[in-house]
Amino acid sequence: AQSVTQPDIHITVSEGASLELRCNYSYGATPYLFWYVQSPGQGLQLLLKYFSGDTLVQGIKGFEAEFKRSQSSFNLRKPSVHWSDAAEYFCAVGLTGGGNKLTFGTGTQLKVEL
Amino acid sequence: DVKVTQSSRYLVKRTGEKVFLECVQDMDHENMFWYRQDPGLGLRLIYFSYDVKMKEKGDIPEGYSVSREKKERFSLILESASTNQTSMYLCASNRQGANGNTIYFGEGSWLTVV
């Protein structure tokens, strides 16, 4: 069965600093990979997704992620964090032919210091 | 814009009560999902429906059932609520077909069982 690991439960960065959130997956084939963001008390919003092609994916709000097959990773990055980026971030993997069901990681809570 | 609406944002129920969580989507999506979100555990799939009256168990279906009588509506039912079902419940939907179709989430229903 597929699984997703987000090794960092909490991360604190200063506003304007760069950000990298880690995500590793376990899956036998090439997965479909997603990053979602959840603001407090809200549902999840899709930031970006990868399922084929260019391994560097651009998303909304200035985020990008890079798929590295050799490392089974799909890390999320942003060059300069804004205070409004404080939220919880979830990495997810989708099964090929799996009816679009997603398996989520446990999330990384991002705090931004002003 | 796609809208997934969860009619009840905050509920408090007593142990043993029957609880209905309702979800409606307005984009004619074939697939609908119910996830449960708990701190440190991320999102876990309870049930999935790919068509009217069709359903599949997710990873944690015990203690839950679902109903999908109309395409736009997907209900989660707790037959006899227990305190360990206190959680945030997220409904989601997406279009059937090619893998990687974006899944859209509602804002969540916070359920407290006392």
Side-chain angles (χ1 to χ4, degrees):
Chain A
Q2 74 284 0
S3 66
V4 179
T5 301
Q6 293 181 248
D8 303 305
I9 300 173
H10 299 281
I11 283 185
T12 301
V13 299
S14 299
E15 189 175 37
S18 64
L19 172 70
E20 183 169 30
L21 302 182
R22 296 184 290 165
C23 173
N24 292 96
Y25 67 90
S26 172
Y27 184 54
T30 299
Y32 298 96
L33 294 159
F34 305 80
W35 274 100
Y36 280 84
V37 61
Q38 184 181 37
S39 298
Q42 301 297 312
L44 277 68
Q45 180 184 21
L46 180 69
L47 283 175
L48 47 79
K49 62 183 179 182
Y50 169 82
F51 43 92
S52 67
D54 194 345
T55 56
L56 184 63
V57 181
Q58 301 297 321
I60 62 171
K61 304 185 181 188
F63 285 92
E64 67 177 27
E66 186 171 12
F67 171 58
K68 292 186 177 180
R69 185 190 304 274
S70 62
Q71 298 176 19
S72 297
S73 69
F74 188 57
N75 294 348
L76 182 71
R77 302 194 295 247
K78 188 170 184 178
S80 178
V81 169
H82 188 262
W83 64 267
S84 60
D85 293 324
E88 189 157 23
Y89 292 80
F90 291 93
C91 182
V93 60
L95 298 178
T96 51
N100 295 270
K101 290 179 283 188
L102 296 185
T103 296
F104 284 83
T106 52
T108 297
Q109 187 73 47
L110 173 65
K111 181 180 176 182
V112 179
E113 290 183 333
L114 300 176
Chain B
D1 272 357
V2 173
K3 192 140 181 78
V4 179
T5 303
Q6 295 180 233
S7 54
S8 300
R9 292 296 313 275
Y10 302 95
L11 306 93
V12 179
K13 298 292 182 180
R14 296 192 181 278
T15 300
E17 273 193 79
K18 190 169 186 176
V19 181
F20 293 86
L21 300 181
E22 305 288 346
C23 175
V24 176
Q25 51 93 4
D26 65 359
M27 284 301 291
D28 202 37
H29 286 166
E30 295 84 3
N31 297 330
M32 295 189 76
F33 310 82
W34 275 106
Y35 284 90
R36 171 176 172 162
Q37 182 179 6
D38 299 287
L41 296 178
L43 278 74
R44 294 177 290 167
L45 181 64
I46 304 172
Y47 266 99
F48 160 60
S49 170
Y50 52 92
D51 201 350
V52 174
K53 296 189 187 293
M54 306 304 288
K55 62 186 179 185
E56 279 186 19
K57 292 180 180 179
D59 299 319
I60 51 164
E62 296 78 20
Y64 304 94
S65 62
V66 291
S67 172
R68 191 153 180 215
E69 297 295 319
K70 294 184 178 181
K71 191 175 186 180
E72 67 271 18
R73 188 179 297 271
F74 191 36
S75 302
L76 180 70
I77 304 158
L78 287 67
E79 294 289 341
S80 178
S82 64
T83 54
N84 63 12
Q85 292 178 309
T86 292
S87 187
M88 167 115 152
Y89 292 88
L90 287 162
C91 177
S93 73
N94 77 342
R95 190 168 303 286
Q96 209 162 66
N99 288 296
N101 284 343
T102 299
I103 293 180
Y104 296 89
F105 285 84
E107 293 190 326
S109 297
W110 286 95
L111 172 65
T112 301
V113 183
V114 297

